[in-house]
Amino acid sequence: MERAPNLRRLTADSTSLLAALVESSDDAIYSNDLDGLVVTWNGAAERMFGYRADEMIGRPVSVIIPPELNQEKIIIDRLKRGEKVYHYETVRLAKDGRPVEVSLSIAAIRDCDGELIGVSKIARDITDRKHASAELEHAARLRLIVEAAPSGMVMVDQYGVIILVNAQMERLFGYPREEMLGATIEKLLPERYRGSHSSLREEFYQTPLVRAMGRGRDLYARRKDGSEFPVEIGLNPADTPEGPVVLAAVVDITERKRNEEALSQALDQLGSRAQTLEAMVAERTTHLEQTMQELEGISYGLSHDLRAPLRTIHSFSQIVLIEASDRLLHREIDLLQKTTASADKMDRLIQDCLAFNRVARAKFKTGTVDLDKLVRQIVTERAEFQPPRAVLEIEGALQPVLGDEGYLTQCITNVLDNAVKFVQPGRQPRIRIWSEMRDRSVRTWFEDNGIGVPENAKERIFGIFQRVHKDGYPGTGIGLAIARKAVERMGGRIGIESNSEQGSRFWVELEQT
Ligand code: ADP
């Protein structure tokens, strides 16, 4: 076949032409023999992998193949078997260790007999393409997330134009997506806010920060049908190659607002009820206090006035007993004696009632009381507290306390009276007294060897007229009530620990000085 002169020249120069083409290619073109040693290495290969041609020629091509891939041997084996290997995507290693994503085309080099003598490869760097597709994938994934978000999500560019909305936005605002995309965000605001919003938006772009919108203000959005609803909006600014954007999350807070209002109404109602209640309690307390004062006055008067006729009964019976005993029958004397004893008993009762009344009403003079001195004085002054009638031991020095000396004397005397009284007949009362410091108070103990107090009566005995042991033990049931009232009025407490077999341990706790 006759060839045109130009074509003829071209054919003659084809080897050098091919070499020029290979050299000017942007793809790395290189070849190796069947032992894997590099035979040719073009300029693009130098740039792509960082090895110069003189470094690579004669060197195993495996230096650019990641060791775990072992691809070269597989390729040669397949070519030897006559199989075709076209191209595939893989990774190669540059001289500096950086991975290079490549699309590799492979061709067999055969001699004139068709014998395989080497392999030539064209490698195209697809790192950028890979990145681009990764970015696309990322963007697609983001879209899915935004789409599935439970809040309305809307993306707005720097001019306020809506460039993305999710399905929730369609539901919230009643617009189909295409009616929102391309419109300005003001479309979704009540008309009265539209004017000021664009300048707020511009301000935001000057100092974009992730934040909630409209701090301290109630925000409202407008649906397609013109109705409004309260919203909460979170702003997330972001920079994109196309310029700054804002992704806003929109939450309908109608329900929350309703709950808040209901709650604040309920609180208001509760507040006014509490006020009414307080007023009622205050009124009733005043009423009660008045009644108490009246009652106390009556009982004081009664107790006081009762003693006079009683004393008359007592003294007249005594006079008759003394002056006419020789003329009276035995039975008459017995009756008169019972009359004086009853009058005595009644007088004691009245006196105790008076004492209780006084403790309840008196003005207390609170000050430092030298408890040690006070208790020792009580013990010395009364024969019932001394041998042989009783043994009272004071262990160590009793700590001083804050209280009213007079009423404290009465309280301790009552406790000690009981301690020597409630003992089995024939047994000598033994009482131990000591005090201990407790935080900011002093607890003073009175331990006796008496008959004790049953568990179920420990609290009751401090009430007025409460007596557990009546047979053989005289009393009015007021002593401990007086003691408790006095201690409480001094800001202290009184109590008991008891074990019926081993006696009782009363304690009085008062503030230390
Ligand atoms: P009273 O001594 O006049 O009976 P109190 O008010 O002083 O009245 O005491 C109430 C009751 O508590 C007593 O009747 C008695 O049953 C019981 N009680 C008080 N102190 C003791 C004590 N140390 N040991 C056993 N019982 C006691």
Side-chain angles (χ1 to χ4, degrees), residues 418 421-422 448 452-453 461 466-469 475-477 479-480 504:
N418 285 343
K421 180 166 67 174
F422 292 105
D448 64 42
V453 175
I461 54 172
Q466 296 296 326
R467 308 194 66 227
V468 185
H469 316 96
T476 57
L480 285 181
S504 320

Side-chain angles (χ1 to χ4, degrees), residues 105-122:
S105 303
I106 290 166
I109 307 174
R110 297 180 193 279
D111 62 10
C112 9
D113 303 328
E115 192 71 23
L116 182 71
I117 54 168
V119 186
S120 91
K121 291 152 189 169
I122 304 176

Side-chain angles (χ1 to χ4, degrees), residues 212-427:
M213 191 168 132
R215 259 165 304 185
R217 281 186 290 130
D218 281 347
L219 297 177
Y220 286 90
R222 183 179 186 276
R223 294 192 192 88
K224 185 176 179 180
D225 63 10
S227 59
E228 293 182 14
F229 61 103
V231 283
E232 194 175 77
I233 297 177
L235 299 175
N236 304 277
D239 271 323
T240 70
E242 288 77 38
V245 296
V246 171
L247 182 64
V250 184
V251 181
D252 180 350
I253 55 167
T254 310
E255 193 62 20
R256 195 206 301 169
K257 279 245 155 204
R258 207 174 290 144
N259 290 344
E260 277 171 7
E261 266 157 37
L263 194 70
S264 100
Q265 266 176 15
L267 282 175
D268 281 353
Q269 275 178 8
L270 213 67
S272 66
R273 290 246 171 98
Q275 268 178 1
T276 325
L277 221 65
E278 261 172 44
M280 253 164 73
V281 170
E283 195 187 315
R284 289 197 185 159
T285 311
T286 321
H287 188 68
L288 215 66
E289 275 169 2
Q290 276 170 1
T291 316
M292 290 259 292
Q293 267 172 9
E294 280 164 18
L295 276 176
E296 275 173 11
I298 292 171
S299 81
Y300 188 77
L302 259 181
S303 313
H304 215 261
D305 296 348
L306 272 177
R307 287 193 76 196
L310 209 58
R311 268 199 301 269
T312 312
I313 297 171
H314 187 268
S315 2
F316 286 3
S317 311
Q318 283 282 316
I319 292 170
V320 175
L321 266 177
I322 295 164
E323 291 183 359
S325 60
D326 49 343
R327 278 173 281 141
L328 294 174
L329 295 175
H330 192 68
R331 194 168 159 273
E332 289 162 342
I333 292 174
D334 185 43
L335 283 175
L336 277 171
Q337 277 171 343
K338 279 189 174 140
T339 309
T340 51
S342 290
D344 267 347
K345 194 174 170 190
M346 188 142 180
D347 192 45
R348 264 203 312 280
L349 194 66
I350 293 169
Q351 280 192 52
D352 281 355
C353 278
L354 281 172
F356 182 78
N357 239 307
R358 261 197 306 276
V359 174
R361 290 150 57 99
K363 229 176 155 18
F364 274 38
K365 288 187 234 96
T366 309
T368 301
V369 179
D370 182 345
L371 198 66
D372 195 65
K373 194 168 143 207
L374 185 117
V375 174
R376 285 176 202 278
Q377 208 169 320
I378 297 173
V379 175
T380 357
E381 278 172 6
R382 299 267 299 271
E384 308 89 297
F385 298 153
Q386 288 166 35
R389 291 168 68 178
V391 179
L392 268 83
E393 275 174 49
I394 301 171
E395 293 181 359
L398 305 179
Q399 300 300 316
V401 291
L402 263 186
D404 176 297
E405 189 160 330
Y407 287 104
L408 194 53
T409 308
Q410 186 167 11
C411 162
I412 292 171
T413 310
N414 288 0
V415 172
L416 290 178
D417 271 340
N418 285 343
V420 295
K421 180 166 67 174
F422 292 105
V423 181
Q424 253 135 18
R427 185 166 200 188

